[in-house]
Amino acid sequence: MRVAGHGRQAGGTPRAALAELLTGNRRFVSGQPVHGHDVTAAAAAAASGDQQPYAVVLGCIDSRVPLEAIFDQTFGAICVIRTGGHVLDRAVCGSIEYVVGQLGVPLVLVLGHERCGAVGAAVDALRTGERPGGSLAHLVDEIAPAVTEVGLDDPAVHPLSIRRHVRRTVHTLREDDLLAGPVAAGRVAVVGGLYDLSTGEVALLDPA
């Protein structure tokens, strides 16, 4: 897969991109954001040219986890994808492939969060044996393997399943047909993190 561009806003490497994201999170936690929620039309207009994001963040739809805010990022800095429990599908994977291949983004961050409702739904479904209807069943089915790996008998099944599901998502993306090559070459990194709802901090699950 050809990687076009260099994610220039953060130096063009996976390590630099990750450092930029985590630095933004530290600003957010300390209450000293540079961008915060000052999202004016003027700021949007300033970023109206060709986009040069340096990372793509895949997170949950949870309203308590606004991704641009918790990383203190402004217009044009990061691409954001959100699904329930950061579940993958073809549209999500295709979007990530596009951002990496066409925009030259060197970093994909999969971000889970504490007390995730989607993971809780999967735990409940496996415990009761009652699979939800509609498309919610797809979310539960995609998260269920993480719960099974942890084990329903584990008293910490919910928080441990959240972490396991992040790691499984990271593994799937690293094995993606169009991402595996750049990942193996070190041009792109796919990493997992966890957001603490109580403190606002993001911690890497498996620091490189």
Side-chain angles (χ1 to χ4, degrees):
M1 181 179 188
R2 183 180 64 87
V3 178
H6 304 285
R8 285 167 289 215
Q9 288 200 41
T13 68
R15 184 181 297 274
L18 185 58
E20 178 68 19
L21 271 183
L22 296 179
T23 297
N25 179 242
R26 287 194 292 272
R27 292 195 302 267
F28 170 76
V29 171
S30 69
Q32 298 178 319
V34 173
H35 306 292
H37 289 279
D38 183 19
V39 286
T40 63
S48 63
D50 292 340
Q51 61 170 326
Q52 296 179 3
Y54 69 85
V56 55
V57 181
L58 170 61
C60 183
I61 60 170
D62 195 294
S63 62
R64 299 165 295 179
V65 194
L67 297 178
E68 289 90 347
I70 67 174
F71 288 112
D72 188 31
Q73 300 299 306
T74 189
F75 290 90
I78 63 175
C79 294
V80 167
I81 303 171
R82 299 177 68 170
T83 65
H86 56 79
V87 164
L88 297 172
D89 61 18
R90 291 185 67 187
V92 172
C93 291
S95 297
I96 294 172
E97 291 169 356
Y98 172 80
V99 171
V100 170
Q102 300 302 314
L103 301 183
V105 166
L107 176 69
V108 180
L109 173 63
V110 179
L111 188 68
H113 66 92
E114 301 287 5
R115 307 198 297 275
C116 179
V119 174
V123 172
D124 290 343
L126 288 176
R127 278 182 171 158
T128 63
E130 297 179 1
R131 186 170 179 266
S135 295
L136 178 56
H138 173 70
L139 295 185
V140 167
D141 291 345
E142 292 298 304
I143 298 170
V147 180
T148 301
E149 289 176 8
V150 171
L152 287 173
D153 293 334
D154 194 309
V157 60
H158 190 180
L160 290 178
S161 295
I162 291 169
R163 289 157 175 77
R164 185 65 60 88
H165 179 51
V166 170
R167 291 186 170 101
R168 287 177 57 87
T169 305
V170 167
H171 176 74
T172 298
L173 288 173
R174 286 175 177 170
E175 298 292 313
D176 178 273
D177 288 345
L178 297 186
L179 300 180
V183 168
R187 298 193 302 270
V188 173
V190 183
V191 300
L194 191 72
Y195 178 73
D196 190 320
L197 293 172
S198 300
T199 67
E201 291 183 284
V202 171
L204 298 181
L205 290 183
D206 299 297

